[in-house]
Amino acid sequence: MKVIILCGGKGTRLREETEFKPKPMVEIGGRPVLWHIMSMYARYGHKDFVLPLGYKGEVIKQYFHDYRMRNADFTVDLATGSTTYHPTVQVTDWRVTMSDTGPETLKGARIKRIAQHIDTDRFMVTYGDGVSDINISELVDFHIKSGKMATFTGVRMPSRFGSVKTDENGNILSWQEKPVLDEYINCGFFVFKREFLDYLSEDESCDLEKEPLERLAAEGQLSMYRHTGFWQCMDTLRDAQALNSLWDKGNAPWCK
């Protein structure tokens, strides 16, 4: 099954890092968050990736063009110009297709613009900035059993603020520091039937979460897979620092 990882956004809330690189290339433990996401899928046997590129996409292209050189010992014969790589690290057997989809293009249009690279009956999509310990096989099984055209993964998030309940006289009835909200939010990790591509447009204003998914929901063709484990996006510098802290402590749930 093809895995599409959306890599075109500008990451304006992480400007400390994204002034010089696209957000999927911001590092956790010395590796781009994009690499961590791809590793998650690869552990479940999904190793055929399509990356719709936009802002500073050339950085991602260069990373994978030089991937073998970056991750292996090699010898260069300066007389002949030949390079010999030494099998000092495990070979990464991924297939990565990269396609420029425009600097201002929204997510739905990015997917539509790489439709020629989707040759499977179903495909998966996720964002290029979130890591999770989600069981991809269970997600796919849930999607197939649902019979729907599309499935997204929902998580319950803690509130940014504490919650206090009082009676009419101002007496405290309960106090909760940043309680988990009842509502679910979309954290990505989608599975789609291929016919979903007909809901998308190549017009750069086509946003995945707007009309296409709203239309699916109205037609009863959208299901939600509930994930109760770890998920964290890298939206701000604080998020990046928190994820690196987990990695440095050997407590990165998305790698287990």
Side-chain angles (χ1 to χ4, degrees):
M1 195 181 298
K2 290 289 177 72
V3 181
I4 295 141
I5 304 178
L6 296 163
C7 296
K10 294 182 178 180
T12 54
R13 284 180 285 186
L14 191 53
R15 181 57 64 188
E16 299 90 343
E17 293 274 2
T18 58
E19 184 177 355
F20 306 104
K21 66 181 79 169
K23 186 158 68 164
M25 294 303 291
V26 177
E27 293 185 349
I28 303 173
R31 299 262 198 170
V33 63
L34 176 60
W35 178 90
H36 289 269
I37 297 167
M38 296 168 79
S39 295
M40 290 164 43
Y41 279 99
R43 283 196 292 275
Y44 290 94
H46 301 285
K47 304 177 182 181
D48 197 347
F49 301 97
V50 184
L51 310 181
L53 306 180
Y55 174 73
K56 295 190 181 297
E58 67 278 1
V59 177
I60 297 176
K61 284 184 175 181
Q62 193 67 50
Y63 176 79
F64 286 105
H65 182 271
D66 297 339
Y67 188 86
R68 193 173 181 186
M69 179 188 70
R70 290 170 178 266
N71 293 281
D73 291 349
F74 62 92
T75 300
V76 178
D77 187 324
L78 299 182
T80 64
S82 65
T83 302
T84 303
Y85 289 93
H86 306 290
T88 55
V89 295
Q90 184 177 359
V91 174
T92 304
D93 57 343
W94 303 347
R95 186 171 182 266
V96 187
T97 301
M98 287 158 281
S99 178
D100 288 315
T101 54
E104 304 296 334
T105 310
L106 298 183
K107 295 184 284 296
R110 291 192 191 281
I111 297 170
K112 184 70 170 182
R113 291 182 183 189
I114 53 89
Q116 71 272 21
H117 299 298
I118 302 173
D119 55 4
T120 50
D121 292 335
R122 288 182 171 86
F123 62 97
M124 291 185 281
V125 174
T126 196
Y127 306 125
D129 63 353
V131 289
S132 176
D133 62 358
I134 183 173
N135 186 311
I136 299 296
S137 296
E138 290 184 1
L139 166 63
V140 172
D141 289 344
F142 176 89
H143 166 72
I144 293 172
K145 290 175 182 177
S146 76
K148 307 292 186 182
M149 191 182 299
T151 299
F152 74 96
T153 300
V155 294
R156 295 171 70 179
M157 291 295 292
S159 169
R160 292 176 56 202
F161 308 102
S163 174
V164 179
K165 292 183 180 180
T166 66
D167 63 20
E168 59 184 11
N169 297 316
N171 298 309
I172 303 299
L173 301 178
S174 68
W175 178 294
Q176 284 184 290
E177 180 61 18
K178 297 183 180 179
V180 175
L181 302 175
D182 290 336
E183 296 85 1
Y184 284 86
I185 66 165
N186 163 37
C187 74
F189 298 100
F190 299 90
V191 187
F192 294 104
K193 291 184 179 179
R194 198 178 192 284
E195 50 261 44
F196 175 66
L197 293 171
D198 295 334
Y199 286 64
L200 304 175
S201 165
E202 290 194 21
D203 188 291
E204 68 177 21
S205 65
C206 176
D207 203 359
L208 175 65
E209 297 87 356
K210 299 287 186 176
E211 195 274 338
L213 290 184
E214 289 174 355
R215 179 181 166 193
L216 279 184
E219 295 176 357
Q221 285 295 324
L222 181 63
S223 63
M224 183 181 77
Y225 174 78
R226 291 173 173 83
H227 178 57
T228 58
F230 176 86
W231 171 79
Q232 177 65 57
C233 67
M234 185 185 283
D235 204 33
T236 65
L237 183 60
R238 178 177 292 182
D239 295 332
Q241 292 169 340
L243 289 169
N244 272 283
S245 178
L246 289 173
W247 179 271
D248 293 342
K249 293 175 182 176
N251 185 30
W254 64 91
C255 293
K256 298 178 181 179

